[in-house]
């Protein structure tokens, strides 16, 4: 039999795992009488937890949002995930959340059991964040645009295009997409009668919210990231890329994520990478970063990109070899009798 306080914590944890619990199922899981369950529900409500009850055949209890944020219970994996995410946010490319993420991380680590703190330290030592490209985005602006997309509210903002030409835009926001380098807003522009993408770092000043608008079918069937990639000239390659990697299958399978492509063994020392949906720009950079020998089987345009890159490197090496080294200034002879 659990003590009253332990039973309350167990009840709270169960309520957070499902959107709705039937009263009989919840009482059976806790091994308590339904009257005891009702008393425990009342105690949690007194502590500020917004628990709603419903009657009837499908009656039960639901954990709902209230006026204040109550304490939440996290299991071990959830706590580690939140801690790593907060650490990433504290050094990320969304400005304005670093201090809040750091404060939340300190609070979380303060109450972490020793076993979890050891795991977190091990993850920290193993995960080394790389500097991210792209400008830092204001968190308030990002949140305001996300809310406008959710609530279907027109937005007004000052914007500068790629040539630096300023303009004032009034659009109907559809959603936000991140390409790995920059944040983009996808919106319907009534003035152009077409969909448009807007880089968030080119929005100047505050975003003003306007009236409601009627939603319309989104571009690309709702795949906003694909639409943005295509709009900014980083469209995925239509043809599947096939590259022979001169490295064992086990080594490459451990390094290449499934989202990048499928790795198939050819022999003991080579494997085949099949990649679809990746832009040629990303593949060119990524294959060079693998630091292994490779042969491009398809598409021909990818091989042409490497040929052009190789020619640029060859010209650079030729210029370096033929350049006259800078003359070094001759050191004056020390005066007679001085120390050398």
């Amino acid at each position: 039999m659990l003590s009253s306080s332990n039973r309350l914590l167990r009840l709270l944890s169960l309520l957070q795992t499902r959107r709705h619990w039937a009263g009989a199922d919840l009482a059976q899981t806790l091994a308590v009488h339904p009257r005891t369950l009702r008393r425990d529900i009342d105690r949690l409500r007194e502590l500020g937890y917004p628990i709603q009850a419903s009657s009837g055949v499908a009656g039960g209890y639901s954990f709902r949002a209230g006026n204040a944020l109550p304490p939440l219970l996290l299991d071990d994996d959830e706590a580690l995930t939140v801690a790593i995410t907060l650490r990433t946010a504290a050094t990320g490319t969304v400005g304005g959340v670093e201090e809040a993420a750091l404060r939340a991380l300190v609070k979380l680590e303060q109450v972490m059991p020793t076993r979890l703190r050891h795991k977190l330290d091990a993850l920290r030592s193993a995960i080394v964040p790389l500097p991210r490209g792209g400008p830092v985005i204001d968190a308030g602006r990002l949140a305001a645009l996300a809310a406008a997309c959710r609530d279907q509210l027109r937005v007004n903002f000052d914007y500068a295009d790629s040539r630096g030409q300023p303009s004032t835009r009034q659009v109907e926001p559809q959603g936000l997409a991140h390409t790995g380098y920059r944040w983009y807003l996808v919106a319907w522009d009534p003035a152009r009668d077409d969909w448009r993408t807007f880089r968030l770092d080119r929005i100047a000043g505050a975003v003003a919210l306007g009236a409601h608008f009627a939603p319309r079918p989104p571009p690309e069937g709702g795949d906003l990231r694909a639409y943005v990639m295509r709009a900014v000239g980083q469209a995925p390659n239509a043809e599947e890329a096939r590259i022979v990697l001169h490295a064992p299958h086990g080594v490459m399978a451990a390094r290449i994520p499934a989202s990048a492509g499928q790795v198939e063994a050819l022999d003991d020392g080579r494997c085949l990478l099949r990649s679809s949906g990746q832009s040629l720009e990303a593949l060119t950079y990524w294959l060079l970063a693998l630091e292994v020998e490779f042969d491009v089987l398809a598409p021909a345009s990818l091989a042409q990109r490497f040929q052009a890159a190789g020619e640029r490197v060859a010209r650079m090496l030729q210029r370096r070899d033929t350049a006259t080294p800078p003359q070094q200034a001759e050191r004056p002879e020390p005066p007679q009798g001085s120390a050398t």
Side-chain angles (χ1 to χ4, degrees):
M1 178 66 69
L2 293 174
S3 66
S4 177
S5 58
N6 289 337
R7 194 174 65 244
L8 286 179
L9 291 175
R10 172 67 174 157
L11 172 59
L12 181 60
S13 178
L14 289 173
L15 288 170
Q16 294 175 4
T17 60
R18 290 188 192 175
R19 190 169 184 83
H20 180 271
W21 274 93
D25 293 342
L26 194 54
Q28 183 179 2
T29 303
L30 291 169
V32 298
H33 194 275
R35 287 195 301 270
T36 303
L37 174 61
R38 287 194 292 269
R39 288 196 297 268
D40 289 346
I41 292 291
D42 291 337
R43 292 193 184 98
L44 288 178
R45 287 170 175 164
E46 293 173 358
L47 294 173
Y49 291 96
I51 302 172
Q52 295 181 357
S54 57
S55 58
V57 177
Y61 300 98
S62 302
F63 196 80
R64 293 288 186 262
N67 295 326
L69 181 65
L72 301 176
L73 293 180
L74 303 175
D75 61 27
D76 288 3
D77 291 338
E78 292 170 341
L80 286 173
T81 301
V82 172
I84 292 298
T85 303
L86 288 172
R87 183 174 184 268
T88 304
T91 57
T93 57
V94 179
V97 301
E98 298 88 353
E99 294 183 5
L102 187 58
R103 290 197 304 269
L105 181 61
V106 170
K107 290 180 181 179
L108 181 60
E109 292 186 355
Q110 187 177 6
V111 297
M112 264 190 176
T114 303
R115 67 178 188 280
L116 290 184
R117 193 173 290 112
H118 289 333
K119 290 184 179 180
L120 181 60
D121 291 340
L123 286 172
R124 281 177 172 172
S125 62
I127 300 175
V128 181
L130 296 176
R132 294 185 61 97
V136 175
I137 302 301
D138 179 72
R141 181 181 303 160
L142 192 63
L145 289 172
C149 295
R150 178 198 61 196
D151 299 334
Q152 296 172 356
L153 297 175
R154 291 189 178 92
V155 291
N156 299 269
F157 51 81
D158 294 329
Y159 190 76
D161 61 17
S162 59
R163 299 185 301 273
Q165 297 296 323
S167 62
T168 299
R169 315 301 284 268
Q170 183 183 66
V171 298
E172 300 174 357
Q174 176 68 34
L176 296 162
H178 192 262
T179 64
Y181 300 96
R182 297 183 178 91
W183 280 99
Y184 288 86
L185 170 69
V186 179
W188 178 264
D189 191 339
R192 279 104 178 141
D193 195 32
D194 198 3
W195 292 101
R196 288 291 187 269
T197 61
F198 302 92
R199 274 177 48 176
L200 264 62
D201 58 295
R202 290 178 178 168
I203 296 177
V207 174
L209 301 181
H212 286 274
F213 63 89
R216 64 183 72 241
E220 297 287 339
D223 190 348
L224 298 186
R225 187 173 184 274
Y227 174 77
V228 170
M229 297 288 282
R230 196 178 305 279
V232 300
Q234 298 180 4
N237 185 49
E239 182 180 354
E240 180 186 59
R242 294 183 294 115
I243 302 102
V244 175
L245 303 175
H246 293 254
H249 173 266
V251 175
M252 290 293 97
R255 294 181 58 187
I256 299 175
S259 58
Q262 294 75 45
V263 183
E264 304 172 2
L266 293 177
D267 50 42
D268 293 340
R270 299 183 307 158
C271 57
L272 177 66
L273 170 63
R274 297 181 178 272
S275 180
S276 58
Q278 300 287 339
S279 67
L280 295 182
E281 294 87 346
L283 275 175
T284 302
Y285 173 83
W286 190 64
L287 287 170
L288 290 174
L290 280 178
E291 295 185 346
V292 297
E293 297 291 325
F294 62 88
D295 299 312
V296 176
L297 303 182
S301 54
L302 179 59
Q304 292 169 0
R305 282 181 174 271
F306 281 111
Q307 181 178 355
E311 291 172 353
R312 287 196 300 271
V313 172
R315 289 193 296 269
M316 180 272 293
L317 294 175
Q318 184 178 12
R319 288 193 298 269
R320 187 195 64 175
D321 293 339
T322 58
T324 303
Q327 297 291 331
Q328 295 184 352
E330 296 183 359
R331 295 180 59 184
E333 292 291 334
Q336 294 294 328
S338 63
T340 58

